[in-house]
Amino acid sequence: MKIKTPEIISQAESYDGIRAGLVALDEVLKGPSYRAAREGSAPMGQLDERRGVDWPPEARTVLVLGLHHPETESRLDWWERGDTWGNRRLRKISAFLKEWLREACGM
């Protein structure tokens, strides 16, 4: 079963504070955030350990999620155990979306 872009975006944005979009994988790989290297002697955190992604050869498009960080929810930016609350929230939502996509596509 094929899922159309608006349905994917709608599902992603059903989570509070999330904005979503689809972008070409080539554009992501060229982006400064993806290519950024850790500088200095800061200890490695969970994010550094997950930098390498083995993209499937057929991958062409990426679902990008953004999380609104209002001033009233500064906790989202707090570092704890090598990561922020906001990043952990995004990873949890990503896992839910991954499962939803698998079910919706009959995989």
Side-chain angles (χ1 to χ4, degrees):
M1 173 183 168
K2 277 196 163 186
I3 301 174
K4 297 194 184 290
T5 298
E7 187 178 358
I8 295 169
I9 300 298
S10 177
Q11 181 67 27
E13 291 184 347
S14 71
Y15 295 93
D16 189 41
I18 294 293
R19 298 291 296 170
L22 295 175
V23 65
L25 176 59
D26 289 345
E27 294 301 314
V28 172
L29 298 177
K30 289 189 264 181
S33 294
Y34 189 82
R35 295 184 323 218
R38 190 170 62 85
E39 293 181 4
S41 60
M44 280 187 64
Q46 291 177 3
L47 296 179
D48 294 305
E49 296 166 7
R50 297 171 190 207
R51 293 294 291 170
V53 174
D54 292 326
W55 296 100
E58 67 277 8
R60 300 290 177 263
T61 306
V62 177
L63 175 63
V64 178
L65 304 177
L67 175 63
H68 180 57
H69 289 218
E71 289 182 29
T72 58
E73 291 186 50
S74 58
R75 174 181 174 178
L76 293 171
D77 295 315
W78 294 353
W79 280 89
E80 180 179 286
R81 297 184 313 266
D83 203 356
T84 66
W85 288 79
N87 286 338
R88 282 194 293 276
R89 181 155 186 257
L90 281 170
R91 277 200 309 281
K92 188 175 182 177
I93 291 168
S94 293
F96 289 143
L97 289 169
K98 181 178 175 180
E99 186 60 30
W100 174 81
L101 282 166
R102 281 190 172 148
E103 289 176 11
C105 292
M107 298 174 81

